Amino acid sequence: MSGGTVNGAGPTPGGGAPGRAVGSVTGASAWTFDVAISVQKLSHAFAGADGRAAPVLRNIDLEVAKGEFIAIVGPSGCGKTTLMNLVAGLEPVQNGTVTVDGHTPRVGDRNVGYLFARDALLPWRTVLGNAELAMEIGGVDKAERKQRAMSLIADVGLEHSTHAYPAQLSQGMRQRVAIARTLATTPDLLMLDEPFSALDAQTKLLLQDTFARLWAHLSSTVMLITHDLSEAIGLADRVVLMSARPGKIKRVFTVELPRPRSIIDLPSEPAYHRISEELWHELREEVTR
Amino acid sequence: MSTGDVVPVSEGLLLERESEDSYDAALPNSLLLSNNKARRDRIVSRVGQLVVLIVIFGSWQLLAQTKVIDPSFVSEPSQFFPSFWHGILSGSLLDLLGRTLFETFAGFALSCVLGLLGGYAMAEFKVVDSIARPFMTGFNSIPRIALAPLFVLWFGLGSLSRVVLIVSLSFFIVAFNTYAGLQGVHRDHLLLARALGATRAERFFKFVLPSAAPAIFAGLQLALTYAFLGAVVGEMLTGSAGLGGYMALEMGTFNTTGFFGALVLLIIVALVVSVAMRAVEHRMLRWRAAELHGTQA
Ligand SMILES: Nc1ncnc2c1ncn2[C@@H]1O[C@H](COP(=O)(O)OP(=O)(O)OP(=O)(O)O)[C@@H](O)[C@H]1O
Ligand SMILES: [Mg+2]
């Protein structure tokens, strides 16, 4: 096997937090406090159309180090969103254990930020108002809120649309507001479910780059779900490949590309092509199954 | 204007442009153009409305004067406009109007308070909804005007019976619209509220209520219309006070001139109120305009 890929689900030092190495985890017992997300023997089922339990996730083991950027790819319907909902506490755990920062996941945790494909901007709030929303609920005081929101709005390049309503923005602009809203509270953990999937190819590249740039200033742990392999490789420290439903972890790829990376320049990196090819080869088996 | 390229823009309007390299200027110009177009459209519709008014009252006058229609049935504009004007100047019509408006707004205010609370309770507590709904629907399907004599019997000939009639009409409109608005929150927004860890109060005031505002406002507007209607009709039925009472009285003595004079005032007041409501709505729900007309920033 060529270099740059590794099997197994143990955490590796996060590229976003160099130097914060985590001892390799082989068994379920030995982990350090630097583990941000720990998922053990997690299985999940939904009531199917016929009323019987339909398994969605099967025996997932995954540990994510603090500051690590992890991407999850897999065929549609394999349970990626379900896995994220379980980690977020939006869905109760049925089998196995999930801990976030050592605790049972709790929905509404102020240290966790979300970004979804649908921006969920509030149409009655301006760009500024939407960017302030998470901070408002997080209890940040007014002056600081505004100052932070303005600076993030500038970071995502919307300084000329501060007082526009979402209906007056393009899809890419709307998602940039959502990014500003999410990053404004500097969450320790970011959960991203196909955040760029509703965008056209060029806008997507720009926003991926914007996001990578902003993330580099934070020490957040990131869990990113995506169908875009170059997005996964370009952003993540590790890429987790899930099998078709019921989802299992099929393989974990470590991306040993140096940081800071530029997604736009990614195609010029030989390592990118190597990982991409292998990832696609394995994913194809699942998608066509 | 200078010589230069002439670029045709929508509907035959022309946008002049000096040369190729001032192309950037075409953007603000085209915005200006659409402003001009909007102003032109407004003038056209105002003039059109004036023409319609002149045609209506002109032919009315003509038909009444030539006795094609008996003027004792329809009066004539040359009579009832002066009657209206005199009523304004002498203050007699304004006194009557004052009473009617008092009843309208008292009834409307009561309907708002009760309707907002009722709609909120139904949206927030499933039990309230399931218990109250059949009664609400049942009562709401009664033609309330038919109950006016009953209200007079119970609450007397004074304003109170009209206020009760108004509440019986407007309360349901406000309550049902409030309920529908509060129920119509986008699930993405509720998920966001949950994910951000919003408290119950934050969820309501930052997510649910603003999203319900357009529906609630539509309800309030309709309720006010019905409140005015309830006041006038209630007064007519008891033939006592206010503009409605006066009109019923004039009708009873076949004084159609007095009747139409009061009607002119009624129409003007209704128009003013609806324009005012629309202006308030526009101010409060600016984002709605951006959403409906999709103006790009
Ligand atoms: N609330 C639910 N009730 C019943 N079945 C569900 C529910 N949520 C998800 N499922 C099922 O679980 C499976 C996994 O869904 P999930 O949304 O996790 O997939 P996914 O990997 O995120 O897919 P995609 O890439 O298309 O977003 C699907 O087959 C779906 O039909
Ligand atoms: Mg999904």
Side-chain angles (χ1 to χ4, degrees):
Chain A
M1 192 177 302
S2 51
T5 63
V6 148
N7 270 308
T12 57
R20 284 212 266 150
V22 180
S24 78
V25 176
T26 41
S29 54
W31 74 61
T32 71
F33 286 110
D34 281 322
V35 175
I37 303 173
S38 167
V39 174
Q40 288 174 337
K41 297 201 168 48
L42 181 71
S43 297
H44 202 80
F46 284 112
D50 55 359
R52 282 190 309 182
V56 173
L57 294 174
R58 183 162 288 169
N59 215 9
I60 305 274
D61 281 305
L62 179 69
E63 295 204 330
V64 184
K66 279 200 175 148
E68 189 182 10
F69 197 132
I70 195 163
I72 298 176
V73 299
S76 181
C78 74
K80 303 182 292 297
T81 298
T82 306
L83 176 60
M84 183 171 281
N85 287 344
L86 286 160
V87 174
L90 286 164
E91 185 80 51
V93 174
Q94 297 169 345
N95 258 301
T97 55
V98 178
T99 57
V100 173
D101 213 9
H103 305 285
T104 311
R106 189 170 53 85
V107 68
D109 190 332
R110 302 270 159 83
N111 295 318
V112 182
Y114 301 86
L115 196 57
F116 303 115
R118 293 199 300 271
D119 52 62
L121 295 185
L122 302 181
W124 52 87
R125 283 180 175 239
T126 60
V127 167
L128 179 61
N130 271 289
E132 284 184 295
L133 181 67
M135 289 186 282
E136 226 173 282
I137 288 170
V140 179
D141 79 66
K142 204 168 173 178
E144 189 187 346
R145 208 158 73 201
K146 174 152 189 198
Q147 188 233 319
R148 257 203 264 169
M150 291 300 266
S151 117
L152 267 162
I153 288 168
D155 285 339
V156 297
L158 287 178
E159 59 272 37
H160 299 300
S161 305
T162 314
H163 299 291
Y165 288 103
Q168 299 169 308
L169 305 177
S170 71
Q171 203 55 52
M173 290 162 97
R174 294 177 60 115
Q175 196 64 339
R176 281 187 266 168
V177 180
I179 291 176
R181 177 189 66 206
T182 307
L183 297 186
T185 51
T186 57
D188 295 335
L189 174 60
L190 283 168
M191 305 235 217
L192 282 54
D193 194 350
E194 307 186 33
F196 309 117
S197 63
L199 306 172
D200 67 87
Q202 283 100 44
T203 309
K204 190 190 238 181
L205 271 178
L206 289 174
L207 285 205
Q208 286 164 346
D209 240 32
T210 304
F211 180 80
R213 192 164 41 76
L214 294 174
W215 174 70
H217 295 296
L218 303 167
S219 49
S220 314
T221 310
V222 183
M223 185 169 168
L224 164 76
I225 293 176
T226 181
H227 285 283
D228 180 339
L229 296 188
S230 64
E231 178 174 309
I233 300 166
L235 291 173
D237 299 315
R238 286 189 299 153
V239 180
V240 175
L241 171 67
M242 286 177 64
S243 68
R245 185 183 166 177
K248 292 182 291 289
I249 292 185
K250 189 174 185 195
R251 203 170 144 189
V252 179
F253 297 79
T254 301
V255 183
E256 283 166 351
L257 288 167
R259 289 192 190 269
R261 302 175 193 159
S262 160
I263 298 197
I264 294 164
D265 298 333
L266 216 53
S268 62
E269 296 272 356
Y272 162 74
H273 291 283
R274 215 168 45 233
I275 303 170
S276 185
E277 230 164 80
E278 255 185 85
L279 195 49
W280 175 234
H281 177 77
E282 298 233 6
L283 180 60
R284 196 173 51 191
E285 283 175 13
E286 297 303 319
V287 173
T288 54
R289 217 161 66 175
Chain B
M1 277 203 166
S2 61
T3 56
D5 304 348
V6 175
V7 184
V9 183
S10 67
E11 294 188 24
L13 283 171
L14 298 179
L15 172 65
E16 288 213 7
R17 175 148 66 93
E18 293 199 334
S19 68
E20 215 47 56
D21 51 43
S22 70
Y23 187 74
D24 285 349
L27 182 67
N29 268 350
S30 68
L31 285 175
L32 214 88
L33 195 76
S34 68
N35 261 339
N36 282 338
K37 186 173 153 14
R39 190 177 310 143
R40 197 195 59 162
D41 285 354
R42 223 173 11 249
I43 292 169
V44 166
S45 68
R46 287 291 172 274
V47 170
Q49 286 159 356
L50 200 65
V51 169
V52 171
L53 276 181
I54 290 171
V55 168
I56 289 176
F57 289 113
S59 43
W60 188 336
Q61 183 67 39
L62 205 72
L63 291 171
Q65 220 163 7
T66 56
K67 307 265 192 262
V68 177
I69 307 174
D70 186 348
S72 61
F73 287 147
V74 297
S75 183
E76 46 193 302
S78 68
Q79 304 264 314
F80 65 71
F81 275 117
S83 153
F84 154 75
W85 193 233
H86 181 256
I88 298 292
L89 291 183
S90 73
S92 63
L93 271 184
L94 290 180
D95 285 348
L96 295 166
L97 176 67
R99 171 63 86 88
T100 305
L101 287 184
F102 165 74
E103 289 163 0
T104 303
F105 285 108
F108 175 66
L110 210 55
S111 305
C112 286
V113 173
L114 296 176
L116 289 170
L117 286 176
Y120 169 76
M122 283 166 67
E124 194 68 15
F125 309 104
K126 276 254 144 37
V127 228
V128 177
D129 181 30
S130 64
I131 293 174
R133 185 158 289 266
F135 296 103
M136 303 255 303
T137 317
F139 194 82
N140 195 31
S141 60
I142 302 172
R144 257 62 46 80
I145 301 295
L147 297 184
L150 205 58
F151 292 148
V152 172
L153 180 66
W154 292 344
F155 304 105
L157 286 169
S159 288
L160 183 59
S161 65
R162 259 94 65 187
V163 170
V164 172
L165 176 65
I166 291 170
V167 171
S168 78
L169 284 164
S170 296
F171 163 75
F172 296 97
I173 301 170
V174 178
F176 282 133
N177 271 278
T178 302
Y179 172 81
L182 295 176
Q183 290 285 300
V185 204
H186 201 293
R187 50 191 284 266
D188 285 357
H189 295 159
L190 289 181
L191 179 66
L192 180 67
R194 224 180 131 204
L196 292 179
T199 61
R200 216 176 139 87
E202 282 170 335
R203 199 182 79 108
F204 183 74
F205 287 109
K206 292 187 197 297
F207 295 84
V208 178
L209 194 58
S211 100
I216 294 176
F217 218 87
L220 295 185
Q221 254 168 304
L222 195 63
L224 184 55
T225 308
Y226 271 81
F228 196 46
L229 176 123
V232 172
V233 172
E235 288 166 349
M236 282 186 147
L237 288 175
T238 49
S240 52
L243 265 185
Y246 171 77
M247 288 167 80
L249 218 65
E250 296 296 279
M251 216 49 206
T253 56
F254 276 106
N255 182 2
T256 47
T257 298
F259 181 89
F260 279 111
L263 192 62
V264 170
L265 180 59
L266 212 63
I267 292 170
I268 290 173
V269 170
L271 281 177
V272 167
V273 168
S274 96
V275 166
M277 282 295 268
R278 206 107 41 92
V280 172
E281 178 181 26
H282 190 77
R283 269 196 72 86
M284 280 179 51
L285 302 175
R286 277 230 321 274
W287 63 275
R288 232 2 224 180
E291 194 148 81
L292 294 176
H293 309 303
T295 49
Q296 285 272 320

